[in-house]
Amino acid sequence: MAFFFFLAAFLLVRRITKRLKYSIIYPKWRTLLSTANWAIIALYFSIAFTLEDEAVDILGSAILLGLLLYVEKEPDFRSQKGYVKANYPLVVVGFIGGLIMFIAPKFYNKYDNYFQLVTLAAFVWIFGKWANSNKQEEELRIAAERKAELEALVNERTAELVKQKENLQEIVEELKATQDQLIQSEKMASLGELTAGIAHEIQNPLNFVNNFSEVSMELIDEMEEELNKGDKEEAIAIAADIKQNLEKIRHHGRRADGIVKGMLQHSRASSTTKEPADINKLADEYLRLSYHGLRAKDKSFNANLVTHFGDNLPLVNMVPQDVGRVLLNLFNNAFYAVQQKEKTAGPDFKPTVEINTAIKGKSLEIKVKDNGTGIPDEIREKIMQPFFTTKPTGEGTGLGLSLSYDIIVKGHQGKIDIATKEGEFTEFTILLPL
């Protein structure tokens, strides 16, 4: 049975050679492994036919044991540790069989078949371990290949996600830029609607300035005449009249200056800096500008402007041009609604736009109400959405109420609510924290 010990040693060397053949450490062991193969074959044939069987078994077991111990202590062969341990039962069987054969040959011969069966079983155990390790290695190889495939897929997917993220970032930046452009377009559109109203509002103070200037020039001529006559008292009285006229000129000049500054504030980019502002003054100014802007387009249009401004309201911390933009949008919508209703209503209909300001708890309440067409229930939830408009194409951007909501709710931590009934009225309520 000595053949099995040398065969086990030979298979161990062959297995190691096969496992290391494509590794970077193979050149280090190539010569030694090749020599070991031939040495095992030569030793087997040199002793198998020259020594007694018991000596061959013991020597074969010793050669296999020495090879196993050498392989086990080498770090480069650590991966073969499981297979190496499977060879130790065969070594034990060889040593025991050889010793019994040497010490008690009759006993060995009597049970020779059993010793051969045990030796064969030990070798089959090695073969089974070899087959099982091959299966495990194949599974590991498949798992490693699958892992490599998955890693490649993950890397590919990661690269796609990174690219998508970059694309999304570019899209977000483009959307932000587009949003800024749309907001500015909405501002300029509302400014265009104001143009006629601004012209009307500026014309009034300019008329006063012109009229009082002409009257003052005439008074100066009269004052010169009185001074030439030596009537000092009359000259002083005329001078007092001139002073009053100059005060009126200054007043209306400041009024025109305020309108121009308001227009510039409305057109420029919004500031995030809040400042105390008089809501009554702001609302009154934009109400008249919106009204005269619509009348400039439709001379036949008239409406009742009803104002209920609260007395002694405190200044409210706000961004004036932003809140003014909200009020302008609400006034424009209100006048548009009553104008549309007037086209179909009877002669008894009187277009009315009403504004109320008051203190409500810890907030300033602003109500803008009209008796126009109202808002249908099916679109009431949509009117704050960007780009939603009920106006014909070219007459509305659909951004007015959306921007108004952002300004009041997000920019000023306030609230904006709607009460409406189709065909009867619409009322917007704004609450600004004090």
PDB file of all heavy atoms in Angstrom, residues 35-47:
ATOM      1  N   THR A  35      11.294  19.901  -9.282  1.00  0.00           N
ATOM      2  CA  THR A  35      12.265  18.927  -8.747  1.00  0.00           C
ATOM      3  C   THR A  35      11.587  17.972  -7.777  1.00  0.00           C
ATOM      4  O   THR A  35      11.859  16.764  -7.779  1.00  0.00           O
ATOM      5  CB  THR A  35      13.403  19.677  -8.032  1.00  0.00           C
ATOM      6  OG1 THR A  35      14.023  20.576  -8.964  1.00  0.00           O
ATOM      7  CG2 THR A  35      14.439  18.696  -7.505  1.00  0.00           C
ATOM      8  N   ALA A  36      10.666  18.503  -6.957  1.00  0.00           N
ATOM      9  CA  ALA A  36       9.975  17.662  -5.973  1.00  0.00           C
ATOM     10  C   ALA A  36       9.151  16.591  -6.651  1.00  0.00           C
ATOM     11  O   ALA A  36       9.094  15.432  -6.186  1.00  0.00           O
ATOM     12  CB  ALA A  36       9.090  18.538  -5.088  1.00  0.00           C
ATOM     13  N   ASN A  37       8.504  16.912  -7.759  1.00  0.00           N
ATOM     14  CA  ASN A  37       7.711  15.920  -8.494  1.00  0.00           C
ATOM     15  C   ASN A  37       8.572  14.731  -8.926  1.00  0.00           C
ATOM     16  O   ASN A  37       8.225  13.578  -8.708  1.00  0.00           O
ATOM     17  CB  ASN A  37       7.064  16.569  -9.716  1.00  0.00           C
ATOM     18  CG  ASN A  37       5.738  17.229  -9.377  1.00  0.00           C
ATOM     19  OD1 ASN A  37       5.051  16.788  -8.467  1.00  0.00           O
ATOM     20  ND2 ASN A  37       5.383  18.272 -10.103  1.00  0.00           N
ATOM     21  N   TRP A  38       9.670  15.069  -9.569  1.00  0.00           N
ATOM     22  CA  TRP A  38      10.563  13.994 -10.067  1.00  0.00           C
ATOM     23  C   TRP A  38      11.230  13.244  -8.914  1.00  0.00           C
ATOM     24  O   TRP A  38      11.442  12.028  -8.999  1.00  0.00           O
ATOM     25  CB  TRP A  38      11.616  14.573 -10.991  1.00  0.00           C
ATOM     26  CG  TRP A  38      11.035  15.060 -12.295  1.00  0.00           C
ATOM     27  CD1 TRP A  38      10.876  16.320 -12.704  1.00  0.00           C
ATOM     28  CD2 TRP A  38      10.518  14.233 -13.330  1.00  0.00           C
ATOM     29  NE1 TRP A  38      10.285  16.391 -13.940  1.00  0.00           N
ATOM     30  CE2 TRP A  38      10.053  15.086 -14.366  1.00  0.00           C
ATOM     31  CE3 TRP A  38      10.377  12.846 -13.507  1.00  0.00           C
ATOM     32  CZ2 TRP A  38       9.469  14.614 -15.524  1.00  0.00           C
ATOM     33  CZ3 TRP A  38       9.808  12.385 -14.677  1.00  0.00           C
ATOM     34  CH2 TRP A  38       9.353  13.255 -15.686  1.00  0.00           C
ATOM     35  N   ALA A  39      11.508  13.950  -7.851  1.00  0.00           N
ATOM     36  CA  ALA A  39      12.147  13.290  -6.699  1.00  0.00           C
ATOM     37  C   ALA A  39      11.208  12.272  -6.068  1.00  0.00           C
ATOM     38  O   ALA A  39      11.637  11.168  -5.656  1.00  0.00           O
ATOM     39  CB  ALA A  39      12.547  14.346  -5.664  1.00  0.00           C
ATOM     40  N   ILE A  40       9.927  12.585  -5.967  1.00  0.00           N
ATOM     41  CA  ILE A  40       8.943  11.660  -5.378  1.00  0.00           C
ATOM     42  C   ILE A  40       8.833  10.408  -6.236  1.00  0.00           C
ATOM     43  O   ILE A  40       8.806   9.263  -5.728  1.00  0.00           O
ATOM     44  CB  ILE A  40       7.583  12.359  -5.238  1.00  0.00           C
ATOM     45  CG1 ILE A  40       7.652  13.444  -4.155  1.00  0.00           C
ATOM     46  CG2 ILE A  40       6.500  11.356  -4.889  1.00  0.00           C
ATOM     47  CD1 ILE A  40       6.449  14.353  -4.121  1.00  0.00           C
ATOM     48  N   ILE A  41       8.789  10.613  -7.551  1.00  0.00           N
ATOM     49  CA  ILE A  41       8.712   9.453  -8.455  1.00  0.00           C
ATOM     50  C   ILE A  41       9.954   8.586  -8.336  1.00  0.00           C
ATOM     51  O   ILE A  41       9.871   7.351  -8.244  1.00  0.00           O
ATOM     52  CB  ILE A  41       8.521   9.938  -9.910  1.00  0.00           C
ATOM     53  CG1 ILE A  41       7.174  10.669 -10.055  1.00  0.00           C
ATOM     54  CG2 ILE A  41       8.598   8.751 -10.883  1.00  0.00           C
ATOM     55  CD1 ILE A  41       6.984  11.345 -11.400  1.00  0.00           C
ATOM     56  N   ALA A  42      11.111   9.250  -8.323  1.00  0.00           N
ATOM     57  CA  ALA A  42      12.379   8.492  -8.243  1.00  0.00           C
ATOM     58  C   ALA A  42      12.494   7.737  -6.917  1.00  0.00           C
ATOM     59  O   ALA A  42      12.935   6.567  -6.888  1.00  0.00           O
ATOM     60  CB  ALA A  42      13.549   9.463  -8.397  1.00  0.00           C
ATOM     61  N   LEU A  43      12.093   8.390  -5.801  1.00  0.00           N
ATOM     62  CA  LEU A  43      12.167   7.725  -4.497  1.00  0.00           C
ATOM     63  C   LEU A  43      11.257   6.503  -4.445  1.00  0.00           C
ATOM     64  O   LEU A  43      11.629   5.446  -3.896  1.00  0.00           O
ATOM     65  CB  LEU A  43      11.754   8.716  -3.400  1.00  0.00           C
ATOM     66  CG  LEU A  43      12.818   9.719  -2.963  1.00  0.00           C
ATOM     67  CD1 LEU A  43      12.211  10.768  -2.027  1.00  0.00           C
ATOM     68  CD2 LEU A  43      13.985   8.999  -2.272  1.00  0.00           C
ATOM     69  N   TYR A  44      10.085   6.640  -5.018  1.00  0.00           N
ATOM     70  CA  TYR A  44       9.149   5.519  -4.987  1.00  0.00           C
ATOM     71  C   TYR A  44       9.742   4.306  -5.701  1.00  0.00           C
ATOM     72  O   TYR A  44       9.756   3.190  -5.164  1.00  0.00           O
ATOM     73  CB  TYR A  44       7.811   5.914  -5.610  1.00  0.00           C
ATOM     74  CG  TYR A  44       6.883   4.723  -5.769  1.00  0.00           C
ATOM     75  CD1 TYR A  44       6.291   4.142  -4.643  1.00  0.00           C
ATOM     76  CD2 TYR A  44       6.631   4.165  -7.026  1.00  0.00           C
ATOM     77  CE1 TYR A  44       5.454   3.042  -4.773  1.00  0.00           C
ATOM     78  CE2 TYR A  44       5.801   3.067  -7.152  1.00  0.00           C
ATOM     79  CZ  TYR A  44       5.214   2.503  -6.025  1.00  0.00           C
ATOM     80  OH  TYR A  44       4.401   1.398  -6.161  1.00  0.00           O
ATOM     81  N   PHE A  45      10.216   4.513  -6.896  1.00  0.00           N
ATOM     82  CA  PHE A  45      10.733   3.376  -7.660  1.00  0.00           C
ATOM     83  C   PHE A  45      12.054   2.846  -7.096  1.00  0.00           C
ATOM     84  O   PHE A  45      12.383   1.676  -7.276  1.00  0.00           O
ATOM     85  CB  PHE A  45      10.921   3.765  -9.129  1.00  0.00           C
ATOM     86  CG  PHE A  45       9.623   3.820  -9.885  1.00  0.00           C
ATOM     87  CD1 PHE A  45       9.069   5.040 -10.249  1.00  0.00           C
ATOM     88  CD2 PHE A  45       8.945   2.650 -10.227  1.00  0.00           C
ATOM     89  CE1 PHE A  45       7.873   5.100 -10.948  1.00  0.00           C
ATOM     90  CE2 PHE A  45       7.748   2.709 -10.938  1.00  0.00           C
ATOM     91  CZ  PHE A  45       7.205   3.936 -11.297  1.00  0.00           C
ATOM     92  N   SER A  46      12.802   3.694  -6.410  1.00  0.00           N
ATOM     93  CA  SER A  46      14.089   3.252  -5.859  1.00  0.00           C
ATOM     94  C   SER A  46      13.925   2.439  -4.577  1.00  0.00           C
ATOM     95  O   SER A  46      14.758   1.575  -4.289  1.00  0.00           O
ATOM     96  CB  SER A  46      14.990   4.456  -5.584  1.00  0.00           C
ATOM     97  OG  SER A  46      14.388   5.293  -4.600  1.00  0.00           O
ATOM     98  N   ILE A  47      12.869   2.682  -3.813  1.00  0.00           N
ATOM     99  CA  ILE A  47      12.727   1.959  -2.546  1.00  0.00           C
ATOM    100  C   ILE A  47      11.618   0.916  -2.593  1.00  0.00           C
ATOM    101  O   ILE A  47      11.619  -0.023  -1.789  1.00  0.00           O
ATOM    102  CB  ILE A  47      12.456   2.932  -1.388  1.00  0.00           C
ATOM    103  CG1 ILE A  47      11.104   3.628  -1.550  1.00  0.00           C
ATOM    104  CG2 ILE A  47      13.581   3.931  -1.248  1.00  0.00           C
ATOM    105  CD1 ILE A  47      10.755   4.514  -0.374  1.00  0.00           C
TER     106      ILE A  47
END
